[in-house]
Amino acid sequence: MAVIEVVLGDITQERVDAIVTAANESLLGGGGVDGAIHRAAGPRLAAAGGAIGPCDPGDAMATPAFDLDPPVRHVIHTVGPVWDGGAYGEADILASCYRRSLEVADSLGVRSIAFPAIATGLYGYPARPAARIARATLSATPTKVDLIRLVAFDEETYEVLTDFADSASS
Ligand code: APR
C-alpha cells in the first residue's frame, strides 16, 4: 500500500523516481505544470513526447526526464479531461489518469512518484471533486509504488487535497 503525502510546491523540484505531467494529447508541451516541466527538462522532452504521442485523455505514457534537476528517471505524461459540467465522463477520465499513471509507473519499477492536480488548471476541473477522485483512485489502485506525493501549487489545492486524506483512507 503506497503512502500518500500532500505537499505545497513546484513539482519540478521533487526528488522522486517519476513525475507526472498534466499534458495535452500531442505530448509536445504547453503551459501550466506541463510548461514548467518541459522548461526544466529541456527540448528533448518535447521531441520524446512527440515521438510517442498522441496520448488519449485518461491514458498515460512515459519518457525519460532529460535535464530535470533534481534528477528524475521518468516523466509520465497523462491527459486529463476538459471540464464540461461533469456529465460527459470527466470523472472517469480523471480517475483513469491516476490509475494509468500508476500502471505505467509499475511497468518501469518506479517506487516514488509525484502528481500535480491534474485537470484543475486550464482544463477547468473543480478542485474539490478532482481532489476526491485523486485520493480515492490512488488509495484504491494496487501498485508497487511505495510513495505518492500530491504536489499542490497553491494553498486552495493543498487544502482540498489534505481534506480528503481521511475520507480516502477510511
Ligand atoms: N508544480 C506543481 N503544480 C503546478 C505547477 C508546478 N510547477 N504549475 C502549475 N501547477 C498546477 C496548477 O496550479 C493546477 O493546479 O497544476 C495543476 C494543473 O493545471 P494545468 O497545468 O493547467 O493542467 P490542466 O488543467 O490539466 O490543463 C492541461 O494545459 O498546460 C496545458 O499542455 C497542457 O493543454 C494542457 C492543459
Side-chain angles (χ1 to χ4, degrees):
M1 198 64 199
V3 169
I4 300 176
E5 297 175 340
V6 181
V7 295
L8 180 63
D10 177 352
I11 200 168
T12 66
Q13 298 308 301
E14 285 291 303
R15 295 177 182 278
V16 290
D17 291 342
I19 60 173
V20 176
T21 186
N24 60 60
E25 295 179 45
S26 73
L27 304 192
L28 292 172
V33 67
D34 202 29
I37 291 167
H38 275 264
R39 280 192 297 279
R44 290 183 290 170
L45 187 61
I52 60 172
C55 180
D56 291 334
D59 199 1
M61 297 176 160
T63 66
F66 300 111
D67 303 334
L68 267 170
D69 185 31
V72 170
R73 283 170 38 209
H74 308 284
V75 172
I76 296 175
H77 309 250
T78 193
V79 180
V82 175
W83 179 253
D84 191 13
Y88 298 92
E90 296 99 317
D92 291 340
I93 293 170
L94 185 58
S96 177
C97 287
Y98 288 100
R99 194 176 309 116
R100 279 289 299 133
S101 294
L102 284 183
E103 286 171 3
V104 171
D106 282 343
S107 73
L108 297 167
V110 164
R111 305 312 293 264
S112 58
I113 189 168
F115 284 90
I118 300 163
T120 64
L122 192 73
Y123 281 1
Y125 211 114
R128 181 164 289 276
R132 183 186 304 114
I133 288 168
R135 302 270 343 201
T137 306
L138 292 170
S139 300
T141 302
T143 178
K144 295 190 290 295
V145 171
D146 298 320
L147 175 61
I148 297 172
R149 286 170 61 88
L150 299 179
V151 183
F153 202 50
D154 56 71
E155 282 289 342
E156 187 219 349
T157 303
Y158 179 84
E159 292 307 323
V160 292
L161 284 169
T162 309
D163 281 352
F164 286 103
D166 308 329
S167 60
S169 53
S170 58

